[in-house]
């Protein structure tokens, strides 16, 4: 973003392919990357996040961090169905890991616990300078590391669900 102009990025729902009510507005200058990871994305996940969107200084770092944070948005619940990755895809590079294959109706306390686990990881990555910010979503609930004093804002478009 050498021109210093703002960039708006709609955060979508990986499962439906539709936009969520959240839009990132990035007004920082310089290079950066934006990536999203979560349940029912193109890769396996260890977590229950519908999506985790990360802004970092480069796209590869944003991609890796989004995956890492999404894998930590997790909760033990009888409505979370896990399988060994190798049973789903024998060629998986994480064949021995328990991946999430389905998430039923989580209790509010379970959603809050999962989001908090992910936020702890995202805040640590932000404090260490690995990422700029992150937006986490589970079952239409959202949590973020974005603060009002940053050059990254999160807009909520009410009525656009």
């Amino acid at each position: 973003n050498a021109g210093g102009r703002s960039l708006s990025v709609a955060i979508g729902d990986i499962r439906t392919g539709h936009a969520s009510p959240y839009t990132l507005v990035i007004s920082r200058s310089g290079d950066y990357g934006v990536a999203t990871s979560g349940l029912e994305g193109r890769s396996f996940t260890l977590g229950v996040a519908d999506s985790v969107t990360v802004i970092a200084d480069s796209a590869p770092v944003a991609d890796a961090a989004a995956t890492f944070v999404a894998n930590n948005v997790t909760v033990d619940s009888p409505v979370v169905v896990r399988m060994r990755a190798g049973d789903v895809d024998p060629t998986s590079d994480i064949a021995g890991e328990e991946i999430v294959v389905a998430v039923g109706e989580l209790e509010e306390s379970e959603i809050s616990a999962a989001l908090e686990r992910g936020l702890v990881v995202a805040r640590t990555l932000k404090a260490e300078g690995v990422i700029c910010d992150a937006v986490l979503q589970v079952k239409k609930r959202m949590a973020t590391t974005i603060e009002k004093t940053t050059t990254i804002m999160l807009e909520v478009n009410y009525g656009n669900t």
Side-chain angles (χ1 to χ4, degrees):
N1 189 17
R5 298 188 333 219
S6 292
L7 173 69
S8 295
V9 179
I11 299 175
D13 183 321
I14 293 172
R15 290 173 291 114
T16 66
H18 296 100
S20 76
Y22 305 108
T23 302
L24 287 168
V25 179
I26 305 167
S27 59
R28 62 176 282 203
S29 60
D31 294 333
Y32 52 86
V34 179
T36 300
S37 185
L39 193 60
E40 297 188 34
R42 63 178 177 80
S43 301
F44 293 145
T45 185
L46 309 179
V48 299
D50 293 318
S51 69
V52 171
T53 301
V54 169
I55 304 100
D57 288 339
S58 71
V61 171
D63 185 41
T67 299
F68 184 66
V69 174
N71 283 339
N72 283 281
V73 179
T74 189
V75 65
D76 288 325
S77 171
V79 301
V80 176
V81 180
R82 293 180 168 89
M83 292 179 65
R84 274 185 5 94
D87 293 340
V88 177
D89 179 1
T91 65
S92 172
D93 61 338
I94 58 168
E97 296 284 342
E98 291 283 317
I99 61 168
V100 174
V101 295
V103 179
E105 289 301 314
L106 292 168
E107 300 287 332
E108 281 297 316
S109 61
E110 293 172 320
I111 294 169
S112 294
L115 285 170
E116 185 56 34
R117 283 185 184 97
L119 270 178
V120 167
V121 172
R123 287 180 182 135
T124 300
L125 292 175
K126 183 176 178 177
E128 293 174 352
V130 176
I131 67 171
C132 301
D133 274 302
V135 179
L136 298 67
Q137 294 184 87
V138 176
K139 302 289 185 184
K140 298 192 179 194
R141 291 263 317 275
M142 184 273 301
T144 184
T145 61
I146 297 172
E147 300 168 358
K148 292 182 182 194
T149 60
T150 68
T151 56
I152 300 170
M153 296 184 306
L154 184 66
E155 293 181 348
V156 181
N157 305 304
Y158 294 102
N160 182 20
T161 55

